[in-house]
Amino acid sequence: MSKRLSSILLLGLLGAGCSADAYRYSADRQVQRLVREREQQTLDYTPQVDASTTVPQNPARSAYAKVPLTPKAPPTTSPIETARAVTLPYDELGPRQLLPSGSSNNYDNSEAMTLLEGGRGPLQLGPPVPGNLALRLDLFNSIGYAVQHSREYRSQMEDLYLQALGVTLQRHLFEPRPFAQTGLQFTGGQENAQYKSALEVTNSVGIRQQLPYGGEVTARALVNFVNAINGNVADSEPASLALSASIPLLRGAGMVNLEPLINSERRMVYQVRAFESFRRTFAVSVATQYFRLLTNQAAIINRRQNLASLVSLTERTYALYAAGKLNYIDVQRALQEQLSAQNDLVEGEARYESALDNFKLLLGTPIEQPIEIVSRELDVDVPVYAPDDAVRLAHQFRLDLRTVQDQIEDAQREVQVAKNGLLPNLDLTVNGQVGNQPGAPAGHLNNNTSTYSAGVVLDLPIDRVAERNAYRRSLIELERAQRAYERVKDQVAADARDALRLILSAQTTVRIQAQGIELAKLRLENANELLRQGKRDSRDVTEAQTALLRAQDAFEQARNSLQIQVLQFLRDTGTLRIDPDSGSLGHALDRKQQLTANARPLSAIIETDNPMKTAAAQPPGAAATTEIK
């Protein structure tokens, strides 16, 4: 008897459960299969989803601290204090000459020359410093890098994984679910008891099945092994087989029982759509910041050229002043504009560096990692639609609009579920059991010991305040779902119309500013010639130079903005395709391809994988070359 008890107890301990890793791998297999099925049915292609775990799982001792340690800043002086009282001296009004009349040109121009030579800022001249190699990223390499390293992208993949994980549980609840229990109990008694001590081992195994339209069926086998260690009771092995079922006939019966499964399945489809919408928005976000970086690059080049022109203007005005053709105020005006241009260049370089850091945050690359933004020639097909056609496209293909439309049906189902909760409980219970004769072994079951029962339990709906409130709430949620759909539908239409207007505006701005650059160049040439002849002062030259800089900045902004607006229009109308068959943009978002590509040097990736041509040499003031079609 003791050997049998030991064997049963050992088997119970061995079957107590699997390792945590085994459960994790099992969940991964089910979720990956489920995600592939839903993505293929929803999107007609399968983007890769990864929810890997790399953070150590075992907590350190500090994880159990009730008051976590908070670092304090080291002692330091105040970064800002009240200024010392300074008395401004009285002086004569009017400008003072920086240089004596007739003196040589010996003013300090070293800082301006340092800026012109690329001594500051990200656009330095010459080869990179050894050991400080930068990532060379164009548009598609930037997207590919972000898909692999972006923290936000990984979080979105994990959201989809978690949603699919919930579906596996709801599906499992409608599958046969085995169970097994093993218990060990020691009991004892005094003189009036039938035994002084006994050891009892209870084994219960079975299987339960949740029925699709309500209720549950359970089959159970129960065996008790009793060993009287010291007493008058003999050893026994009572055993039984039982089959029981409980089926609702009113409340909880029918399709309402499948609501958790249906809801989880539909929510997973919504999450697939949300992930796809995020991927489209993510690609547009990367492209937007990339084009803005190109705009900042062009702005820095324009400001260097502007500074070079103003340095030359300062030298020429001083020469004309020394020749007696200009007043000294013209020299001062030119020098003041030169200083303003120096400051403008420094601020432009700072803006570029800040934008580059924000771009690194979006890509998921370390802030200290140097990045070189490579400008590539792109072919952009500008969509041509009437406003009503753009709205029809958006209403047909926007995934978020389709989701809120489906959520109206979800709210309608919730109304039916809440309405069912107002019904009385009427449950049918059925039980059947067969066991062994007293003193017989556990395996000798006898039909003569069988019992069975059936009954109906009615619970009248006397107290249904909570269910009444739930029903009324479901009706309100249905109205809200309808209003949400109407609001999103109107917002989608407004987004499509606005995106179309922004494309037309950017196209117009490109044409206008291209003409403005030519006019500003002609104006600058005329002003320089009049200054050389001594017919006009330096004011006309500085104004023409400023007008040229503004026109160049506006042109670069409009050109890059047009490319951004095209992508945003496709996103807002739901027609932006990012599947592997949609060209370079889809390939850039292919995680599996990026994993293969990352095995090679990044410089090789740019030269071999980029389908775009290298930008041709541009005239001054046009740093980022883009062909607009």
Side-chain angles (χ1 to χ4, degrees):
M1 182 68 178
S2 60
K3 292 183 177 180
R4 181 181 299 176
L5 292 175
S6 302
S7 301
I8 294 172
L9 184 60
L10 181 60
L11 291 175
L13 293 176
L14 291 176
C18 302
S19 66
D21 288 338
Y23 282 119
R24 173 188 170 185
Y25 296 144
S26 174
D28 287 345
R29 286 193 300 268
Q30 291 187 14
V31 168
Q32 293 294 345
R33 182 172 63 253
L34 186 60
V35 169
R36 285 195 299 268
E37 293 173 356
R38 286 298 179 269
E39 288 176 335
Q40 187 65 37
Q41 295 173 3
T42 304
L43 305 175
D44 197 27
Y45 71 97
T46 305
Q48 294 84 25
V49 175
D50 178 27
S52 58
T53 301
T54 57
V55 181
Q57 302 178 20
N58 296 326
R61 292 179 60 89
S62 59
Y64 299 97
K66 294 182 179 179
V67 182
L69 180 64
T70 302
K72 297 182 179 179
T76 182
T77 58
S78 176
I80 187 170
E81 292 288 351
T82 303
R84 294 179 299 128
V86 178
T87 302
L88 297 178
Y90 291 98
D91 204 348
E92 60 180 353
L93 298 179
R96 290 178 295 175
Q97 287 189 341
L98 295 178
L99 302 174
S101 178
S103 62
S104 61
N105 186 358
N106 58 355
Y107 57 87
D108 185 10
N109 217 14
S110 58
E111 184 176 2
M113 299 308 298
T114 301
L115 291 174
L116 289 177
E117 293 171 359
R120 292 190 52 176
L123 303 180
Q124 298 182 359
L125 300 179
V129 179
N132 193 27
L133 298 178
L135 292 176
R136 303 185 71 248
L137 299 178
D138 65 356
L139 172 60
F140 302 109
N141 291 126
S142 298
I143 295 175
Y145 186 94
V147 167
Q148 288 297 322
H149 300 89
S150 171
R151 303 173 183 90
E152 186 179 4
Y153 196 95
R154 295 188 64 85
S155 296
Q156 290 292 328
M157 290 192 298
E158 291 168 350
D159 289 342
L160 180 55
Y161 182 96
L162 294 175
Q163 191 66 48
L165 201 61
V167 175
T168 62
L169 174 60
Q170 293 299 328
R171 287 186 175 185
H172 175 67
L173 294 178
F174 287 92
E175 296 174 350
R177 292 173 288 146
F179 61 90
Q181 295 177 344
T182 298
L184 178 65
Q185 183 177 8
F186 175 82
T187 59
Q190 299 300 321
E191 295 181 357
N192 294 334
Q194 295 181 354
Y195 57 90
K196 291 185 178 180
S197 60
L199 182 65
E200 180 181 2
V201 177
T202 303
N203 287 304
S204 176
V205 296
I207 189 170
R208 60 172 58 96
Q209 173 71 59
Q210 185 173 344
L211 302 178
Y213 296 105
E216 187 177 68
V217 177
T218 303
R220 180 192 302 266
L222 178 66
V223 181
N224 289 345
F225 297 95
V226 180
N227 182 16
I229 300 174
N230 187 3
N232 300 324
V233 178
D235 295 343
S236 63
E237 299 179 3
S240 63
L241 289 177
L243 180 66
S244 62
S246 177
I247 303 175
L249 302 180
L250 290 178
R251 188 184 186 192
M255 292 296 294
V256 296
N257 185 63
L258 295 173
E259 177 59 25
L261 176 61
I262 296 173
N263 189 50
S264 66
E265 295 272 7
R266 290 171 67 94
R267 284 183 179 275
M268 182 179 174
V269 174
Y270 302 159
Q271 190 64 43
V272 170
R273 293 174 182 169
F275 180 57
E276 178 69 8
S277 297
F278 164 78
R279 295 175 74 235
R280 296 175 182 179
T281 302
F282 184 75
V284 174
S285 299
V286 174
T288 299
Q289 292 202 24
Y290 170 81
F291 286 123
R292 287 175 179 171
L293 285 172
L294 294 186
T295 301
N296 289 337
Q297 284 184 353
I300 291 175
I301 293 178
N302 292 338
R303 276 152 181 75
R304 285 186 179 170
Q305 294 174 346
N306 181 58
L307 178 57
S309 299
L310 291 174
V311 168
S312 175
L313 175 64
T314 302
E315 295 174 349
R316 286 187 289 117
T317 53
Y318 186 85
L320 292 173
Y321 162 73
K325 294 184 178 181
L326 291 178
N327 295 323
Y328 192 74
I329 193 173
D330 292 305
V331 180
Q332 294 174 322
R333 182 185 298 115
L335 184 57
Q336 185 177 13
E337 290 296 330
Q338 175 186 323
L339 295 175
S340 178
Q342 290 178 215
N343 183 73
D344 200 13
L345 176 56
V346 172
E347 291 180 350
E349 291 178 341
R351 285 193 298 269
Y352 179 83
E353 292 172 356
S354 298
L356 193 60
D357 286 343
N358 293 331
F359 193 57
K360 293 177 183 178
L361 293 176
L362 178 63
L363 299 186
T365 185
I367 292 295
E368 62 274 8
Q369 171 64 50
I371 289 182
E372 179 183 351
I373 301 301
V374 181
S375 175
R376 298 291 179 180
E377 183 180 355
L378 303 176
D379 291 333
V380 179
D381 293 327
V382 180
V384 180
Y385 289 102
D388 292 341
D389 294 335
V391 171
R392 280 192 291 269
L393 278 177
H395 285 169
Q396 182 177 359
F397 295 109
R398 278 283 291 265
L399 297 178
D400 54 345
L401 180 61
R402 182 59 57 89
T403 295
V404 295
Q405 184 178 8
D406 292 339
Q407 287 173 345
I408 296 178
E409 299 176 346
D410 295 340
Q412 291 172 338
R413 290 198 325 276
E414 290 294 333
V415 170
Q416 298 304 314
V417 171
K419 186 184 296 185
N420 181 268
L422 299 173
L423 298 176
N425 286 330
L426 182 61
D427 299 334
L428 173 65
T429 59
V430 179
N431 293 280
Q433 182 173 331
V434 62
N436 61 342
Q437 294 289 350
H444 294 175
L445 301 179
N446 194 326
N447 290 332
N448 294 330
T449 64
S450 62
T451 61
Y452 53 87
S453 66
V456 177
V457 179
L458 175 63
D459 183 6
L460 296 177
I462 297 176
D463 184 7
R464 287 289 188 267
V465 176
E467 291 77 5
R468 178 207 64 184
N469 293 348
Y471 174 64
R472 190 64 186 93
R473 185 179 297 109
S474 67
L475 293 176
I476 295 175
E477 293 298 332
L478 177 59
E479 292 297 323
R480 289 183 175 181
Q482 179 65 35
R483 292 198 300 270
Y485 168 72
E486 295 171 354
R487 178 183 59 80
V488 174
K489 184 178 180 180
D490 291 340
Q491 185 63 53
V492 165
D495 291 344
R497 292 167 63 90
D498 187 57
L500 192 61
R501 284 193 293 266
L502 290 176
I503 288 178
L504 297 177
S505 176
Q507 286 179 301
T508 304
T509 305
V510 168
R511 292 193 298 267
I512 292 175
Q513 297 305 327
Q515 296 175 2
I517 290 176
E518 298 302 324
L519 290 176
K521 288 180 179 179
L522 294 176
R523 177 184 172 186
L524 182 59
E525 292 177 1
N526 293 333
N528 282 322
E529 179 62 24
L530 293 175
L531 178 66
R532 186 185 65 82
Q533 297 176 5
K535 297 180 179 180
R536 302 297 295 268
D537 56 23
S538 61
R539 182 183 293 108
D540 292 342
V541 179
T542 57
E543 290 178 354
Q545 188 67 41
T546 301
L548 176 60
L549 178 62
R550 291 176 179 175
Q552 289 172 332
D553 288 345
F555 176 77
E556 295 298 337
Q557 292 175 1
R559 180 167 57 178
N560 290 321
S561 175
L562 177 59
Q563 299 172 93
I564 296 172
Q565 297 305 329
V566 169
L567 291 176
Q568 290 182 349
F569 173 81
L570 298 176
R571 180 201 62 190
D572 292 341
T573 56
T575 55
L576 179 61
R577 294 291 301 272
I578 54 175
D579 57 279
D581 297 330
S582 62
S584 300
L585 195 60
H587 288 300
L589 283 161
D590 191 341
R591 283 176 53 84
K592 188 174 298 183
Q593 174 182 328
Q594 297 303 325
L595 284 172
T596 303
N598 285 344
R600 294 176 289 154
L602 190 58
S603 59
I605 299 173
I606 294 178
E607 296 301 327
T608 59
D609 291 350
N610 185 11
M612 300 296 122
K613 297 179 293 183
T614 304
Q618 295 297 308
T625 59
T626 306
E627 180 181 354
I628 306 297
K629 288 187 175 181

